[in-house]
Amino acid sequence: MSLSDLLTHVAPDSPEAALARQVDFARLPKHVAVIMDGNGRWAAERHLPRVEGHRAGIESVRDTVESSARIGIGVLTLYAFSVENWKRPETEVMALMGLLRQYLRSELKTLLKNNIRFTVIGQPDRLSREVREELQAAEARTAGNTGMQFNIALNYGGRAEIVDAAKRAIRSGLPADALDQETFASFLYTAGQPDPDLMIRTSGEMRVSNFLLWQIAYAEIWVTETRWPDFRCRHLLEAIISFQKRDRRYGAVSSHPATVSR
Ligand code: IPE
Ligand code: IPE
Ligand code: MG
């Protein structure tokens, strides 16, 4: 996709249009990963039950998925439910699962229309049969799509993923000496996908909360105070613009010694 594509979907004098013009579309992050956080705080700030924050967050998911595809991001991963999130009250967990099903039902058409491939990463076995079936149906319906890949991390834990990958590697019968980083990565849930170059976290926490631990080795991190239900295309564009100003050194010396990395 491109600038002109994006500009047809935003008002000409809007902040989004101004931000879109600052993006270098030839140097987009290949994979953007998002820790969608702050739904509970968003609700508390409005004296609403937590679940209303989750409900409002669906609009942000919709906007982020569509905007990412329009911008031309190759892979988008959204962290929707961690292995640790089972510690929450059962009513909240049930509400989250219900909202997930609602999202899938209402958005499958849009995913198909936008040529988006939907995939689940995590351990689906602990999810209910109804949720698993709907997820599998959405994966199957979008499997042939060739545009953006949209991963949803559900019952996902970074350490659990690494342990699962180790088990798969052992079961594959691969000799220990043949195991290198590239081969190991091929046993992860994200096999074949580029590592995230940009990781976004909403609502201000400076932690990774067990998300994509292997894959974020060299991701650039962008944290915003914006609560997830308020996150929109303009925030995504701000993150991409900030990403494009970073000096990614990968442990080497700077190729632009005068640049200050922000
Ligand atoms: C993110 O919002 C949604 C999930 C983790 C499922 P939170 O529910 O964590 O919101 P806060 O952090 O309590 O504000
Ligand atoms: C991370 O958010 C998990 C998801 C966004 C799904 P949490 O709100 O669960 O993380 P902590 O508890 O602040 O680390
Ligand atoms: Mg949280």
Side-chain angles (χ1 to χ4, degrees), residues 36-57:
M36 308 185 285
D37 199 18
N39 294 354
R41 278 163 280 181
W42 183 93
E45 284 154 9
R46 286 158 182 79
H47 309 286
L48 294 168
R50 289 178 60 82
V51 62
E52 292 309 319
H54 299 315
R55 195 184 314 281

Side-chain angles (χ1 to χ4, degrees), residues 56-201:
I58 291 204
E59 193 49 44
S60 309
V61 173
R62 195 174 287 141
D63 192 69
T64 303
V65 170
E66 287 181 37
S67 302
S68 299
R70 261 174 216 140
I71 291 169
I73 303 295
V75 185
L76 172 74
T77 301
L78 299 184
Y79 199 7
F81 195 85
S82 74
V83 288
E84 286 82 17
N85 287 148
W86 295 105
K87 294 177 198 159
R88 296 185 179 206
E90 203 186 330
T91 48
E92 182 173 343
V93 173
M94 298 291 285
L96 280 165
M97 297 298 161
L99 287 167
L100 170 68
R101 294 176 71 188
Q102 192 182 309
Y103 169 80
L104 286 176
R105 271 185 229 139
S106 67
E107 284 309 287
L108 189 55
K109 277 195 305 292
T110 318
L111 299 181
L112 289 165
K113 193 181 86 198
N114 290 307
N115 195 21
I116 296 169
R117 187 166 149 222
F118 174 79
T119 35
V120 181
I121 60 168
Q123 297 177 324
D125 45 299
R126 208 177 153 185
L127 305 173
S128 74
R129 191 174 47 82
E130 290 85 355
V131 171
R132 274 198 322 258
E133 282 173 1
E134 278 189 58
L135 290 167
Q136 279 162 6
E139 286 184 316
R141 293 276 306 278
T142 63
N145 288 350
T146 53
M148 185 179 82
Q149 173 144 12
F150 166 28
N151 296 319
I152 189 154
L154 270 177
N155 194 27
Y156 175 87
R159 287 185 171 182
E161 178 181 26
I162 292 169
V163 171
D164 277 353
K167 286 183 185 162
R168 286 183 202 168
I170 292 165
R171 287 196 197 107
S172 76
L174 193 78
D177 287 343
L179 194 62
D180 56 16
Q181 293 186 18
E182 205 184 324
T183 319
F184 189 79
S186 73
F187 292 104
L188 294 169
Y189 306 147
T190 53
Q193 301 178 16
D195 286 338
D197 334 86
L198 172 60
M199 188 178 80
I200 296 173
R201 183 165 186 146

